Amino acid sequence: MVRGRISRLSVRDVRFPTSLGGHGSDAMHTDPDYSAAYVVLETDAEDGLKGYGITFTLGKGTEVVVCAVNALAPHLLNKDLGDIVGDFRGFYRQLTSDGQLRWDPRKLVSCLDFRYITDVLTEEEAYEILQKGQVGKKEREEQMLAHGYPAYTTSCAWLGYSDATLKQLCSKALEDGWTRFKVKVGADLQDDIRRCRLIRNMIGPEKTLMMDANQRWDVPEAVEWMAKLAEFKPLWIEEPTSPDDILGHATISKALVPLGIGVATGEQCHNRVIFKQLLQAKALQFLQIDSCRLGSVNENLSVLLMAKKFDIPVCPHAGGVGLCELVQHLIIFDFVSVSASLKDRIWLHLLVPSYISTCARMCEYVDHLHEHFKYPVIIKKASYMPPKDAGYSTEMKEESVKKHQYPDGEVWEKLLAAQVN
Amino acid sequence: MVRGRISRLSVRDVRFPTSLGGHGSDAMHTDPDYSAAYVVLETDAEDGLKGYGITFTLGKGTEVVVCAVNALAPHLLNKDLGDIVGDFRGFYRQLTSDGQLRWDPRKLVSCLDFRYITDVLTEEEAYEILQKGQVGKKEREEQMLAHGYPAYTTSCAWLGYSDATLKQLCSKALEDGWTRFKVKVGADLQDDIRRCRLIRNMIGPEKTLMMDANQRWDVPEAVEWMAKLAEFKPLWIEEPTSPDDILGHATISKALVPLGIGVATGEQCHNRVIFKQLLQAKALQFLQIDSCRLGSVNENLSVLLMAKKFDIPVCPHAGGVGLCELVQHLIIFDFVSVSASLKDRIWLHLLVPSYISTCARMCEYVDHLHEHFKYPVIIKKASYMPPKDAGYSTEMKEESVKKHQYPDGEVWEKLLAAQVN
């Protein structure tokens, strides 16, 4: 049992000047400074229990998120932890209407808000999925502990990287045992063709290549553009158009099936209702949850359960600030208790038999900013090794927070002074 | 030609304690304090040109919107007005990607960002719609000046009103010439039946009744609930479920056609991509733009044009703080230059011939908070009379702003002090 009350909430604007190196650049976000609104909750519990939360941002506007966190603070302050855990769904709805991971199936289902999704998933269906997930759970836990959850890397091919950097990073990744690679596309077709050819040649025909357009295209444009990149055999095209365009993604999905290319999306989808429709409309073949974009673990859980019902693999979005640290918990939980599978899906098999070896469930990995976290992810042989510390791996090193606080931290004080001069 | 630069931006948190009287209450928002983030832009133009902007909020969290406005300020400060007007689309995309009404068709179309909607509306199609809209324009302007744009009232039947208040307000509205009424529903079925019977009996069978559930239901629940309210012959059910649920609204629309009830939604739809899909999926029969929820006039214009293409009547959401003042410009523009019609749609005619006399295009009206605006709306015979002053009717009375500023204005100082005691 948890005891105590939430006694204090602090939120800080933490920014890392990643734009200086072109890290994280894509067709829509050319100069991101990876940042976070970092929340620490203190309690009056005897053991000094604290809670840590972040939401990932791209620099500018983090102060707006900080302001939003402060606006929600009255819902948390002085709340009894037992009351929160005792009625997690009610607490969640209260937070989301004004504005972690080890329970039995009943308790877990009681955390989820089924409002607006009962037409595809009822509480009873969710419970049944989790009950079935109990079978073979121990073996899957052991498998995770021994081998980890398969990952792919996005670190080699940001849009702002030169071909020389791309080659160098790709060689290094191959040496390190990576077999799945994602490349940013969508700004310039000829540039895309050159970069995709370069990377496909380096990794060879057997390894997996994914492409990511970061919402750059209109619907017909996405289909035309991908027809020109099909020769490089991408497993999926990610965010081909507006993340709000469910019907547009369905149109693109249908058009790309004959080319053996799936559609992946979700990192910018803001709630379970959008994911429900993406599944209903057959608009995606790979579902990309984001641990921060979807407010809370609760909301992510309802999406994992809907994906299971529709038999769509969840391949989480990660990178950013701390997203790898957080989402590893969700995807390992998905494997152990929900999907119970690392296997690839059926649809591409049927259509493109040669893809059998390359399609698989996997979680994104980006190799940066982990050094600022107290419990950073551990990657072995291109897999996420399960975190063994308690909690959601969200706590940052206090030194990192202080140094990168915006605009008064040491790093920003120097950078902003340099801008003025 | 406009000359000058934007020299100053100020934004204030203005709140009206409307919750004290139950005004604005519905099935999801039980105690709203109608509020606004109020922006004043100053310029160095010789004539002292200023710009006024608001966005409507419900009290708490207005400080977050204020913070967001300040985050966007660097995109506006020191900008040359001629440059903005010279490339409105580029300026708009810049604002919406980091984050008014009298031009020729070419110029107007050049304000719109067609990204993500070219699959249903191209720039050329938009231009053609506006060109056709030139025919008969003068006559329609005269019609508006003489008779105004038809309105309906939401002021009689907020959910928090007693039956006695409802009766009294309804009698008064009938005396004032109102023929179209909206009632809030969705919290309790028996209560809804009693209130709907009361209002239908008071207004008689010929006048128009609309219902608004403010997102309270799941999809199957919406269909079941409305079957029970069908006897009161509502023209539409508004916001039956999550505003993000395009496919859900399509399911509800299909199910309610045999009952002669249309679906209306849009006041919480955040961009043109959601509206595009609502139209594609035949998810609504009445499209409700909101002058503040959709960022900018530009975004609203693209929705008006798409609605025209799909032959769906636009019946704007209004009320709130200043929404009537703003949206009257948009809907009168829609009549004069886009839809060119006040007539009802075809679908209900075909199905329910008795509805011919009651279905019509109309704009919501709520009778409160107009006294705080420098150029308040003028309603005559239940119609919006066209505003004749220059601008978007957004400017508030400085005295009202000062008094209602949160938390330091006179009104809030007293109310907050009373809360402490």
Side-chain angles (χ1 to χ4, degrees):
Chain A
M1 259 305 290
V2 276
R3 287 171 191 278
R5 287 179 178 273
I6 296 172
S7 54
R8 188 168 175 265
L9 179 153
S10 72
V11 53
R12 285 175 283 179
D13 180 337
V14 182
R15 307 190 190 190
F16 301 96
T18 48
S19 65
L20 298 175
H23 316 304
S25 55
D26 63 47
M28 294 288 274
H29 314 97
T30 49
D31 58 348
D33 286 326
Y34 275 24
S35 303
Y38 177 58
V39 177
V40 180
L41 291 179
E42 292 176 29
T43 70
D44 61 9
E46 278 183 19
D47 61 356
L49 181 71
K50 287 186 184 184
Y52 304 88
I54 58 168
T55 196
F56 170 51
T57 54
L58 295 183
K60 282 180 201 162
T62 310
E63 74 279 12
V64 181
V65 183
V66 166
C67 189
V69 170
N70 282 321
L72 288 169
H75 288 289
L76 286 99
L77 289 172
N78 299 314
K79 280 269 160 24
D80 183 273
L81 298 175
D83 290 347
I84 293 174
V85 174
D87 179 20
F88 234 135
R89 183 188 297 159
F91 177 69
Y92 178 56
R93 187 177 277 188
Q94 190 198 6
L95 269 178
T96 56
S97 292
D98 199 67
Q100 262 132 29
L101 296 180
R102 208 166 185 111
W103 306 295
D104 68 65
R106 277 281 170 222
K107 195 84 182 167
L108 198 146
V109 164
S110 80
C111 297
L112 309 186
D113 190 347
F114 288 90
R115 173 177 271 177
Y116 301 143
I117 60 170
T118 57
D119 49 334
V120 311
L121 186 78
T122 63
E123 182 162 354
E124 205 45 47
E125 284 175 301
Y127 176 70
E128 278 164 27
I129 290 171
L130 289 165
Q131 277 295 89
K132 281 186 193 155
Q134 301 287 310
V135 181
K137 189 173 167 184
K138 198 172 178 327
E139 291 75 17
R140 290 192 297 275
E141 283 180 350
E142 280 163 10
Q143 183 187 339
M144 285 291 106
L145 288 166
H147 306 290
Y149 195 93
Y152 71 86
T153 179
T154 307
S155 288
C156 300
W158 295 107
L159 205 70
Y161 283 177
S162 68
D163 288 4
T165 302
L166 195 157
K167 274 186 206 171
Q168 182 211 325
L169 291 171
C170 198
S171 297
K172 176 74 170 60
L174 285 162
E175 275 169 35
D176 293 346
W178 291 92
T179 60
R180 307 174 192 92
F181 300 82
K182 195 162 80 185
V183 56
K184 297 283 180 179
V185 299
D188 179 274
L189 181 60
Q190 293 312 314
D191 188 56
D192 286 352
I193 291 172
R194 196 190 72 252
R195 290 156 49 85
C196 289
R197 179 166 290 135
L198 193 157
I199 195 163
R200 179 49 93 190
N201 285 341
M202 285 194 73
I203 68 175
E206 297 301 319
K207 295 200 172 60
T208 307
L209 181 64
M210 284 83 70
M211 297 181 184
D212 186 356
N214 291 86
Q215 318 162 25
R216 181 64 183 245
W217 303 314
D218 281 23
V219 173
E221 195 180 9
V223 174
E224 287 161 27
W225 200 298
M226 285 312 296
K228 305 242 167 67
L229 297 180
E231 63 171 301
F232 307 110
K233 301 211 174 296
L235 173 63
W236 75 51
I237 176 63
E238 182 172 331
E239 288 202 310
T241 190
S242 165
D244 294 335
D245 196 349
I246 294 138
L247 301 176
H249 281 87
T251 301
I252 297 167
S253 284
K254 207 172 165 187
L256 296 183
V257 162
L259 300 173
I261 303 169
V263 166
T265 192
E267 70 177 79
Q268 302 245 10
C269 293
H270 53 286
N271 63 26
R272 64 191 182 276
V273 177
I274 300 291
F275 279 108
K276 177 184 78 166
Q277 295 174 85
L278 286 165
L279 291 165
Q280 286 175 303
K282 298 184 170 58
L284 45 65
Q285 287 70 48
F286 303 92
L287 185 154
Q288 302 179 300
I289 55 167
D290 179 293
S291 54
C292 290
R293 176 80 55 177
L294 278 182
S296 80
V297 173
N298 312 44
E299 194 81 354
N300 270 291
L301 291 179
S302 53
V303 176
L304 294 183
L305 289 162
M306 287 193 287
K308 169 69 179 177
K309 180 161 174 189
F310 284 84
D311 193 26
I312 289 288
V314 176
C315 300
H317 172 241
V321 177
L323 299 184
C324 300
E325 277 70 20
L326 272 63
V327 85
Q328 63 178 338
H329 293 265
L330 299 172
I331 196 60
I332 293 173
F333 169 79
D334 182 60
F335 172 68
V336 170
S337 297
V338 181
S339 76
S341 171
L342 289 179
K343 296 237 177 77
D344 46 351
R345 290 192 66 240
I346 302 157
W347 76 281
L348 276 171
H349 290 196
L350 296 175
L351 292 155
V352 190
S354 66
Y355 272 74
I356 294 181
S357 60
T358 62
C359 307
R361 288 168 184 266
M362 53 190 158
C363 183
E364 184 168 22
Y365 177 71
V366 183
D367 187 20
H368 63 204
L369 305 177
H370 303 291
E371 67 276 20
H372 302 298
F373 284 81
K374 203 158 166 186
Y375 308 101
V377 291
I378 297 165
I379 298 287
K380 277 188 189 164
K381 293 185 185 160
S383 293
Y384 278 91
M385 300 312 291
K388 292 179 184 167
D389 300 291
Y392 201 21
S393 310
T394 321
E395 189 177 356
M396 292 177 79
K397 292 178 183 165
E398 193 53 33
E399 196 192 322
S400 286
V401 174
K402 280 189 178 147
K403 238 168 132 170
H404 293 88
Q405 221 175 317
Y406 186 88
D408 302 324
E410 181 185 318
V411 167
W412 288 103
E413 221 167 33
K414 273 186 202 162
L415 280 168
L416 294 170
Q419 275 176 26
V420 173
N421 301 329
Chain B
M1 258 307 287
V2 276
R3 285 169 193 282
R5 287 176 179 274
I6 296 173
S7 54
R8 189 168 175 263
L9 179 153
S10 73
V11 54
R12 286 175 283 179
D13 180 336
V14 182
R15 306 189 190 190
F16 302 95
T18 49
S19 65
L20 298 176
H23 316 304
S25 56
D26 63 46
M28 294 288 272
H29 314 95
T30 50
D31 59 346
D33 284 327
Y34 275 24
S35 305
Y38 178 58
V39 177
V40 180
L41 291 179
E42 293 175 30
T43 70
D44 62 7
E46 279 182 19
D47 61 358
L49 181 70
K50 288 188 185 184
Y52 304 88
I54 59 168
T55 197
F56 171 51
T57 54
L58 294 184
K60 283 181 202 164
T62 310
E63 74 278 11
V64 180
V65 183
V66 166
C67 189
V69 170
N70 282 321
L72 288 169
H75 286 288
L76 285 99
L77 288 171
N78 299 314
K79 281 273 163 19
D80 183 272
L81 299 176
D83 290 349
I84 292 174
V85 174
D87 179 19
F88 235 135
R89 183 187 297 158
F91 177 68
Y92 178 56
R93 187 176 278 188
Q94 190 198 5
L95 268 179
T96 56
S97 294
D98 196 72
Q100 286 136 17
L101 295 177
R102 206 159 188 119
W103 306 295
D104 70 64
R106 277 280 170 226
K107 195 82 184 172
L108 200 146
V109 164
S110 80
C111 297
L112 308 185
D113 190 345
F114 289 90
R115 173 176 272 175
Y116 302 144
I117 59 169
T118 57
D119 48 336
V120 311
L121 186 77
T122 63
E123 182 163 353
E124 205 46 48
E125 284 175 301
Y127 176 71
E128 279 165 28
I129 289 172
L130 289 165
Q131 277 295 90
K132 281 185 193 155
Q134 301 287 308
V135 181
K137 189 172 166 183
K138 199 173 176 327
E139 291 74 16
R140 290 193 296 274
E141 284 179 352
E142 282 162 9
Q143 184 185 339
M144 285 292 106
L145 288 165
H147 306 290
Y149 195 92
Y152 71 85
T153 179
T154 307
S155 288
C156 300
W158 295 108
L159 206 68
Y161 283 177
S162 68
D163 287 5
T165 302
L166 195 156
K167 274 187 206 169
Q168 183 212 324
L169 290 171
C170 199
S171 296
K172 176 75 169 63
L174 285 163
E175 276 169 34
D176 292 347
W178 291 94
T179 59
R180 307 172 191 94
F181 299 81
K182 195 163 80 185
V183 56
K184 296 284 181 179
V185 298
D188 178 274
L189 181 59
Q190 293 312 317
D191 189 55
D192 286 353
I193 290 172
R194 195 190 72 251
R195 291 156 50 83
C196 289
R197 178 166 293 136
L198 194 157
I199 195 162
R200 178 50 91 189
N201 284 342
M202 286 194 72
I203 67 175
E206 297 301 319
K207 296 200 171 60
T208 309
L209 181 65
M210 286 83 71
M211 298 181 182
D212 185 355
N214 291 87
Q215 317 164 25
R216 181 65 183 244
W217 303 314
D218 280 25
V219 173
E221 195 180 9
V223 175
E224 287 161 28
W225 200 298
M226 285 312 297
K228 306 242 166 67
L229 297 179
E231 62 172 303
F232 308 110
K233 302 210 173 301
L235 175 64
W236 74 51
I237 175 63
E238 182 172 332
E239 290 202 307
T241 191
S242 164
D244 293 336
D245 196 348
I246 295 137
L247 300 176
H249 280 86
T251 300
I252 295 167
S253 284
K254 208 173 163 185
L256 295 184
V257 163
L259 300 174
I261 303 169
V263 166
T265 192
E267 71 177 79
Q268 300 245 9
C269 293
H270 53 286
N271 63 25
R272 62 190 183 276
V273 177
I274 299 293
F275 279 107
K276 177 184 80 167
Q277 295 175 86
L278 286 166
L279 292 164
Q280 287 176 303
K282 299 185 170 58
L284 45 67
Q285 287 71 46
F286 302 92
L287 186 154
Q288 302 178 299
I289 55 167
D290 179 293
S291 54
C292 290
R293 177 79 55 176
L294 278 182
S296 80
V297 172
N298 314 44
E299 194 81 354
N300 270 290
L301 292 178
S302 52
V303 176
L304 294 183
L305 289 160
M306 288 192 287
K308 169 69 178 176
K309 182 164 172 188
F310 284 85
D311 191 26
I312 289 287
V314 176
C315 299
H317 172 241
V321 176
L323 298 185
C324 299
E325 277 70 21
L326 272 64
V327 85
Q328 62 177 339
H329 293 265
L330 299 173
I331 196 60
I332 293 174
F333 169 80
D334 181 61
F335 172 68
V336 171
S337 296
V338 182
S339 76
S341 170
L342 289 181
K343 295 238 176 78
D344 46 352
R345 290 190 67 239
I346 303 157
W347 77 281
L348 278 172
H349 290 199
L350 297 175
L351 292 155
V352 190
S354 66
Y355 272 75
I356 293 180
S357 59
T358 61
C359 309
R361 289 167 184 265
M362 52 191 158
C363 183
E364 184 168 20
Y365 176 70
V366 184
D367 187 20
H368 63 205
L369 304 177
H370 304 292
E371 67 275 22
H372 302 298
F373 284 81
K374 203 159 166 186
Y375 308 101
V377 291
I378 298 165
I379 298 288
K380 278 189 189 163
K381 293 185 185 160
S383 295
Y384 277 92
M385 300 312 291
K388 291 176 181 169
D389 300 292
Y392 200 20
S393 310
T394 321
E395 188 177 357
M396 291 176 80
K397 292 179 183 163
E398 192 54 31
E399 196 193 322
S400 287
V401 174
K402 279 188 181 147
K403 238 168 132 170
H404 294 88
Q405 223 175 313
Y406 187 88
D408 302 323
E410 181 186 318
V411 168
W412 287 104
E413 223 168 30
K414 275 185 202 162
L415 280 168
L416 294 170
Q419 275 176 26
V420 172
N421 301 332

